[in-house]
């Protein structure tokens, strides 16, 4: 059952990634061109109909996928780098570094992420850079929270002590001793954060503070076409369902990974 | 116990302090201050200077921070940059609307989700548990607006039972409000229940795995009695915390749901103000949301403590 879920998730995720990468080849029309009648129904105008300007919905979703996945992956990678290195720094240094970082992370996490992002983006203005940086900082605090205890455990391990006694530098045992041991937790957390980032950027774009028009990610597409729903069109649900598909497939993969890893841990 | 409450209180206060610093620094340090946001790019230097003096932007930073916090503590958030009205006046009715929405949703959600979570834990691995597990996985993966739009499509557009937008009937009476609240509330319940149900299930399962429950089982006590007399009272503190946190999350989910249904609440006010770059309103909304959220978390800790005597002496004993 879990394996079936995993295979389905993997297949779905692979298809989504391929669709994003190959968007220019697959998309029947350019995302910015009005090629159909406004609000054309599916069938009359392309696979999924057209938006209020007559742009092809299917093509726009393919290109939107690139934004959503691209931003989410970038955010997750940046957040992982920042969160993990700060967590290990805190575990090594202890003392003030640890306390200050801990307090700052607590404070940032004590405010709902979307509220925090709204305040920052209102001030800094919305651009792709501010968007990615804001999200990365917020996500980094979650990495920090999860990795900090793991880091403390690992730093206290005998083999790290041995490496320290051997006189190895900090960078060496981060790379050779610690990261390999923290890897499973890290990978699982990375997956969870990607899924979260997808929902986050979609939410922000839906609220109008994410990817700005004329470009649109999946959340932005829902926003643009929201009015069509009230006249009985289903087209805004397609990009929204696409978002759910991404998070479902990533969660399916992570679930399998966590399960597999804990079984191995029990056997070993 | 008092030490614990004090330490939690202090940690909440420190968080709040850092949050005020961040919110303030956000507006004070970044390029493009409130004056240029207000006047746009074509403002003359003289006009900018005048506005800056008017808003107190020529004062030293620390002074401005203290003044801002001091005024905010008294409920004075300054004036809206967009409309010129006092922020508090704009804020309060919106806050009331949001709290109404969130509390109605909470009242409907909590018994249903907690009951479901308990049932799922009692009949662990039954088809009931599996179905609940599957649906909560589905709902947790969905963006909140998808739930809202599906409801609009089915209940408002196809069936025509409810209005799809919350057009404010300011003095429309209870039935008008009920019609407007219906869809946003149902959305919130659907979005929020998955998380609450999952947490409750985990909390009950943790209690069911303890030695004293095993002991009760070995003694031959009926399943029903074990759950009602042994497991539930011990899971109560966890369930209380979960309930409070659910309310806190509901208040956040409200932001997206208010936009979906154009419901005139605090979340919509904040998002609209971001679009107009009405920074004083954004600041005030952000601070208010943070205050509610931090307060809720503190309350959750406090209630858990009151219900579970063992947590009152965390350091000693063990």
């Amino acid at each position: 059952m879990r394996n079936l879920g995993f295979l389905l998730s993997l297949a779905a995720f692979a298809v989504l990634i391929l669709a994003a990468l190959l968007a220019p080849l697959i998309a029947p029309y350019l995302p910015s061109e009005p090629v159909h009648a406004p609000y054309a129904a599916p069938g009359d105008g392309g696979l999924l109909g057209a938006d209020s300007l007559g742009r092809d919905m299917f093509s726009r979703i393919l290109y939107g996928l690139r934004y959503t996945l691209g931003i989410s992956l970038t955010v997750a990678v940046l957040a992982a780098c920042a969160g993990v290195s700060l967590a290990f720094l805190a575990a090594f240094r202890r003392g003030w570094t640890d306390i200050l970082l801990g307090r700052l992370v607590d404070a940032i996490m004590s405010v709902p992420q979307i509220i925090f992002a709204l305040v920052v983006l209102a001030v800094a203005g919305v651009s792709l850079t501010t968007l990615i940086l804001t999200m990365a900082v917020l996500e980094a605090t979650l990495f920090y929270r999860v990795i900090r205890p793991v880091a403390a455990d690992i730093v206290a391990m005998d083999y790290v002590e041995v490496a320290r006694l051997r006189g190895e530098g900090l960078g060496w045992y981060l790379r050779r001793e610690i990261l390999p041991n923290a890897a499973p937790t890290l990978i699982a957390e990375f997956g969870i954060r990607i899924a979260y980032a997808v929902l986050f950027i979609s939410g922000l774009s839906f609220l109008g503070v994410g990817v700005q028009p004329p470009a649109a990610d999946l959340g932005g597409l829902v926003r643009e076409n929201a009015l069509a729903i009230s006249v009985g069109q289903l087209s805004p649900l397609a990009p929204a369902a696409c978002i759910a598909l991404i998070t479902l497939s990533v969660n399916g993969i992570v679930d399998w990974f966590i399960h597999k890893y804990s079984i191995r841990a029990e056997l070993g | 116990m008092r030490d614990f409450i004090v330490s939690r209180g202090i940690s909440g206060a420190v968080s709040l302090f850092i949050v005020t610093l961040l919110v303030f620094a956000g507006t004070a340090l970044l390029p493009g201050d409130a004056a240029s946001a207000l006047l746009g790019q074509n403002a003359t230097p003289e006009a900018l200077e005048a506005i800056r003096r008017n808003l107190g932007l020529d004062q030293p930073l620390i002074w401005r921070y203290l003044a801002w916090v001091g005024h905010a503590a008294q409920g004075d958030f300054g004036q809206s940059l967009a409309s010129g009205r006092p922020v508090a006046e704009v804020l309060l009715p919106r806050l009331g609307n949001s709290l109404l929405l969130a509390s109605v949703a909470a009242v409907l959600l909590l018994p249903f989700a907690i009951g479901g979570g308990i049932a799922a834990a009692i009949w662990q691995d039954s088809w009931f548990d599996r179905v609940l597990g599957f649906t909560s996985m589905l709902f947790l993966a969905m963006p909140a607006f998808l739930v809202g739009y599906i409801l609009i499509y089915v209940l408002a557009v196809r069936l025509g039972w409810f209005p799809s937008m919350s057009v404010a009937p300011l003095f429309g009476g209870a039935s008008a409000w009920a019609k407007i609240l219906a869809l946003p509330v149902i959305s919130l319940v659907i979005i929020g229940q998955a998380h609450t149900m999952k947490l409750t299930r985990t909390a009950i399962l943790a209690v069911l795995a303890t030695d004293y429950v095993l002991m009760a089982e070995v003694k031959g006590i009926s399943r029903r009695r074990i759950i009602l007399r042994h497991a539930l009272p011990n899971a109560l503190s966890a369930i209380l915390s979960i309930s409070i946190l659910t309310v806190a999350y509901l208040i956040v989910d409200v932001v997206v749901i208010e936009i979906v249904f154009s419901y005139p609440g605090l979340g919509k006010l904040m998002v609209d103000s971001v679009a107009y770059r009405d920074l004083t309103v954004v600041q005030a909304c952000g601070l208010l949301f943070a205050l509610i959220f931090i307060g809720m978390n503190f309350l959750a800790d406090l209630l858990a403590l009151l219900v579970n005597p063992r947590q009152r002496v965390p350091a000693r004993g063990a």
Side-chain angles (χ1 to χ4, degrees):
Chain A
M1 191 60 194
R2 181 169 266 112
N3 276 331
L4 180 70
F6 168 66
L7 288 178
L8 282 177
S9 304
L10 199 64
F13 193 63
V15 168
L16 288 165
I17 292 277
L18 276 180
L21 285 176
L22 303 178
L25 297 178
I26 310 171
Y29 305 97
L30 281 174
S32 50
E33 300 260 304
V35 286
H36 309 297
Y39 289 126
D44 300 347
L47 207 52
L48 292 170
D51 68 5
S52 59
L53 298 176
R55 295 175 294 193
D56 184 53
M57 202 60 191
F58 179 62
S59 310
R60 282 184 74 73
I61 289 181
L62 285 175
Y63 279 90
L65 209 52
R66 300 186 123 194
Y67 276 103
T68 303
L69 286 173
I71 292 174
S72 308
L73 288 172
T74 316
V75 165
V77 169
L78 284 177
C81 291
V84 171
S85 26
L86 288 176
F88 276 106
L89 186 74
F92 267 109
R93 287 275 174 81
R94 308 268 171 103
W96 276 110
T97 321
D98 196 11
I99 294 173
L100 284 179
L101 277 173
R103 281 264 53 125
L104 187 67
V105 166
D106 278 355
I108 294 178
M109 286 180 67
S110 72
V111 183
Q113 294 204 326
I114 195 133
I115 301 297
F116 206 107
L118 282 174
V119 171
V120 173
L121 291 171
V123 174
V126 180
S127 69
L128 219 46
T129 323
T130 53
L131 203 59
I132 287 175
L133 283 181
T134 310
M135 288 175 63
V137 168
L138 292 173
E139 295 278 280
T141 60
L142 293 157
F143 270 108
Y144 182 93
R145 255 299 165 73
V146 173
I147 303 299
R148 171 69 185 74
V150 180
D153 282 352
I154 293 174
V155 168
M157 294 269 191
D158 286 346
Y159 57 79
V160 176
E161 198 59 34
V162 168
R164 202 190 297 229
L165 288 177
R166 277 208 311 264
E168 306 286 1
L170 192 145
W172 192 88
Y173 54 68
L174 258 184
R175 211 171 49 249
R176 301 297 298 271
E177 305 279 12
I178 289 176
L179 275 184
N181 287 285
T185 319
L186 205 59
I187 294 172
E189 183 63 18
F190 188 68
I192 294 170
R193 296 269 64 89
I194 290 178
Y196 194 87
V198 168
L199 287 177
F200 197 11
I201 181 63
S202 305
L204 287 176
S205 291
F206 174 73
L207 296 179
V209 290
V211 177
Q212 295 298 304
D217 66 336
L218 296 174
L221 284 175
V222 179
R223 174 187 172 82
E224 279 177 10
N225 295 290
L227 272 181
I229 269 274
S230 321
V231 296
Q233 275 227 352
L234 276 175
S235 57
L237 295 187
C242 206
I243 297 166
L245 188 62
I246 302 177
T247 36
L248 266 181
S249 62
V250 173
N251 285 343
I253 297 170
V254 171
D255 192 42
W256 172 85
F257 181 83
I258 290 176
H259 191 70
K260 183 184 167 199
Y261 173 70
S262 60
I263 284 176
R264 247 219 234 126
E266 274 167 32
L267 291 177
Chain B
M1 175 170 161
R2 210 166 88 220
D3 292 354
F4 182 77
I5 295 177
V6 169
S7 84
R8 278 305 160 98
I10 289 177
S11 110
V14 170
S15 289
L16 200 59
F17 169 66
I18 298 181
V19 169
T20 60
L21 275 185
L22 289 174
V23 168
F24 178 77
T27 38
L29 298 182
L30 283 154
D33 61 8
S36 48
L38 195 60
L39 292 180
Q41 292 186 335
N42 304 323
T44 60
E46 293 78 21
L48 274 177
E49 203 47 51
I51 290 266
R52 287 207 176 104
R53 209 171 316 121
N54 215 349
L55 293 171
L57 293 180
D58 52 349
Q59 306 282 325
L61 264 185
I62 297 210
W63 189 240
R64 275 164 54 197
Y65 171 73
L66 289 177
W68 178 67
V69 169
H71 285 132
Q74 297 166 37
D76 174 12
F77 293 99
Q79 289 180 336
S80 158
L81 295 180
S83 67
R85 291 168 60 201
V87 173
E89 200 179 282
V90 181
L91 223 62
L92 274 180
R94 299 301 198 98
L95 177 66
N97 287 349
S98 287
L99 290 181
L100 176 70
L101 180 56
S103 46
V104 174
V107 168
L108 292 177
L109 183 156
L110 286 174
F112 159 68
I114 288 174
I118 293 175
I122 292 175
W123 293 296
Q124 191 191 357
D125 294 331
S126 66
W127 64 266
F128 176 75
D129 185 28
R130 275 162 211 262
V131 169
L132 276 192
F134 182 75
T135 49
S136 38
M137 182 184 75
L138 214 59
F139 284 126
L140 284 174
M142 279 188 188
F145 48 80
L146 177 57
V147 176
Y149 283 125
I150 290 178
L151 287 179
I152 290 187
Y153 184 77
V154 176
L155 297 182
V157 176
R158 287 284 144 198
L159 299 172
W161 291 354
F162 302 103
S164 61
M165 294 280 166
S166 318
V167 185
L170 283 176
F171 306 99
S175 68
W177 268 109
K179 259 202 158 155
I180 285 187
L181 280 173
L183 282 184
V185 163
I186 299 173
S187 315
L188 281 175
V189 170
I190 292 178
I191 296 160
Q193 53 82 27
H195 199 58
T196 309
M197 210 178 273
K198 222 174 147 181
L199 288 177
T200 309
R201 178 179 179 273
T202 314
I204 300 280
L205 282 181
V207 175
L208 288 180
T210 53
D211 288 343
Y212 58 82
V213 169
L214 182 65
M215 180 67 192
E217 265 167 20
V218 171
K219 270 162 61 183
I221 298 175
S222 75
R223 181 91 180 142
R224 193 189 147 91
R225 198 177 153 81
I226 290 177
I227 304 257
L228 289 179
R229 296 296 300 272
H230 296 266
L232 268 186
N234 283 295
L236 202 60
S237 81
I239 290 179
L240 264 178
S241 305
I242 292 169
S243 310
I244 305 268
L245 291 180
T246 302
V247 177
Y249 286 123
L250 274 179
I251 290 173
V252 179
D253 287 334
V254 147
V255 176
V256 170
I257 288 302
E258 283 179 358
I259 296 291
V260 171
F261 294 97
S262 312
Y263 181 87
L266 194 62
K268 182 155 166 45
L269 175 68
M270 187 174 186
V271 172
D272 290 346
S273 302
V274 172
Y276 303 139
R277 299 204 73 181
D278 189 343
L279 293 181
T280 44
V281 176
V282 175
Q283 266 184 339
C285 291
L287 211 56
L288 215 53
F289 272 117
L291 189 66
I292 295 174
F293 205 69
I294 293 174
M296 286 286 187
N297 276 292
F298 179 63
L299 195 64
D301 287 343
L302 203 65
L303 276 180
L305 201 73
L306 291 177
V307 172
N308 186 352
R310 274 184 309 169
Q311 286 186 17
R312 288 180 203 163
V313 272
R316 273 164 278 165

